[in-house]
Amino acid sequence: MMQSGRIAAAIELLDTILDDRRPADAVANAYFRDRRYIGGGDRREIGAMVWDVLRTRRRLGWWLVGGGGEPSPRLLVVASLLFGGARLAEIERFFGVERFAAKPLSRPERGVLAALEGGRLDHPDMPDGVRLEVPDWLVPRLAARFGPELHAEMAAMSEQAPLDLRVNLLKGTREDAAAALARDGHPARPTRWSPWGLRLAARQNITQSAAFRDGLVEIQDEGSQLVARLAGAGPGLRVADYCAGAAGKTLAMAMTMENKGHIVACDVSAPRLEAAVKRLRRAGVHNVERHLLEAGDKWVKRQERRFDRVLVDAPCTGTGTWRRNPDARARLTEADLQELTVKQA
């Protein structure tokens, strides 16, 4: 793709993400799946532009609104490029130049953007919520939690997330997986804490790699791998994964159980449990039963004291995924937090 097409696609993808309740990575995956003509290199360039905006959206919006503009996807993408060191005249050449380019910048848009050229993204007049890229209502809670480390913690949350994989020991070793990934152009290094983890430096499309297709690796953050490890699910045990979702931790525990014993993957969402089927099959797991939890379900009461392990990954705010899905920061409300504490209890 030409750079004009990449910028136009970044604007379109950003617009789609901001208008969708799904996590940004899920929206991006669907966007590119529907546009298979976009090559891998172009996908990385487009994704990088969009994620740069999502990580700095409140600060970019502060500048744009202060300059009399609107934080539209068009202006957010261009403002991000300007704060990244690009020149407005260079960027403007990619608008309206060919069929797939975004429409030319208007005079008012150009006026707002010209004031940002050569500037620094941070400004001392920014409110804390803007500077930290978090909702205003959350700032006092974060300050109480982190104290003097608040700015350092939030800066870390704005860094690019690595891509963690869990090696499926039912199919091979961590060395086997690393070698298979390297052959497909995905060099990985062992994770620090998880004995089954491999880490790639940045977001990559590994779903087409032989290691993924063959079930040798699964995409799973190292923290989630550690939860599965701490569960201590060994061969022959009976285990309940009570909030299984698409069964990421179920898969990890099936591995530690060596496919022996019994796991019941429970969830209140039928689509999530249905999505687990393909993953279980690809991983070669056959000791898992799925159970849909519904109102009035007496199954739970009948199962009292019948499990050796019960893992509850309760619904939460998802702040731990902010590096991967920085769009979630803007969507979290105080009402969400209050509702979730009731659900967790």
Side-chain angles (χ1 to χ4, degrees), residues 128-319:
D128 283 342
V130 172
R131 186 181 300 107
L132 298 174
E133 294 285 340
V134 298
D136 294 332
W137 66 267
L138 194 53
V139 173
R141 296 171 185 265
L142 292 171
R145 171 65 180 83
F146 293 113
E149 301 300 319
L150 174 61
H151 286 262
E153 292 290 343
M154 292 303 101
M157 276 290 206
S158 292
E159 294 174 358
Q160 185 176 7
L163 178 64
D164 288 348
L165 307 174
R166 178 184 56 78
V167 176
N168 179 12
L169 300 183
L170 298 175
K171 295 280 186 103
T173 66
R174 184 152 66 170
E175 291 72 25
D176 293 335
L181 289 165
R183 285 194 294 271
D184 282 339
H186 302 292
R189 59 182 176 83
T191 48
R192 181 178 182 185
W193 303 110
S194 170
W196 323 308
L198 288 171
R199 174 162 292 179
L200 283 69
R203 296 174 67 248
Q204 299 177 37
N205 181 18
I206 64 101
T207 58
Q208 300 305 311
S209 68
F212 183 86
R213 292 197 311 269
D214 296 342
L216 180 56
V217 296
E218 278 286 338
I219 298 172
Q220 187 175 47
D221 286 339
E222 184 180 23
S224 295
Q225 296 179 38
L226 294 177
V227 170
R229 188 183 186 199
L230 288 167
L237 296 185
R238 183 170 164 80
V239 178
D241 189 351
Y242 198 62
C243 307
K249 297 181 182 70
T250 298
L251 286 164
M253 292 190 293
M255 177 190 73
T256 63
M257 294 168 69
E258 300 173 11
N259 250 339
K260 302 170 185 175
H262 187 212
I263 304 180
V264 182
C266 306
D267 206 88
V268 296
S269 169
R272 287 178 186 164
L273 287 177
E274 190 60 34
V277 175
K278 187 176 180 180
R279 300 180 74 187
L280 293 165
R281 187 179 300 124
R282 186 177 64 242
V285 168
H286 51 72
N287 66 333
V288 172
E289 170 192 349
R290 292 171 297 132
H291 181 81
L292 178 65
L293 298 169
E294 299 178 289
D297 190 350
K298 296 180 180 179
W299 178 87
V300 174
K301 192 170 185 178
R302 291 199 301 268
Q303 301 304 312
E304 185 176 357
R305 299 184 183 278
R306 293 190 179 183
F307 290 97
D308 300 292
R309 302 285 188 276
V310 179
L311 175 59
V312 182
D313 183 9
C316 68
T317 57
T319 52

Side-chain angles (χ1 to χ4, degrees), residues 47-181:
M49 279 190 273
V50 171
W51 258 254
D52 283 345
V53 170
L54 294 176
R55 281 192 287 265
T56 57
R57 182 181 167 196
R58 290 211 69 185
R59 284 173 288 173
L60 292 172
W62 185 85
W63 281 107
L64 291 171
V65 172
E70 290 290 330
S72 66
R74 282 165 58 83
L75 294 190
L76 286 168
V77 168
V78 178
S80 178
L81 293 171
L82 289 173
F83 282 117
R87 309 297 296 180
L88 183 57
E90 298 170 355
I91 299 171
E92 199 169 14
R93 290 191 295 109
F94 300 117
F95 283 74
V97 294
E98 47 96 14
R99 176 185 171 191
F100 298 106
K103 66 180 183 181
L105 296 173
S106 66
R107 181 175 293 180
E109 286 177 327
R110 200 182 189 289
V112 171
L113 294 166
L116 309 183
E117 191 169 34
R120 294 173 57 86
L121 182 58
D122 289 309
H123 192 280
D125 292 342
M126 286 178 172
D128 283 342
V130 172
R131 186 181 300 107
L132 298 174
E133 294 285 340
V134 298
D136 294 332
W137 66 267
L138 194 53
V139 173
R141 296 171 185 265
L142 292 171
R145 171 65 180 83
F146 293 113
E149 301 300 319
L150 174 61
H151 286 262
E153 292 290 343
M154 292 303 101
M157 276 290 206
S158 292
E159 294 174 358
Q160 185 176 7
L163 178 64
D164 288 348
L165 307 174
R166 178 184 56 78
V167 176
N168 179 12
L169 300 183
L170 298 175
K171 295 280 186 103
T173 66
R174 184 152 66 170
E175 291 72 25
D176 293 335
L181 289 165

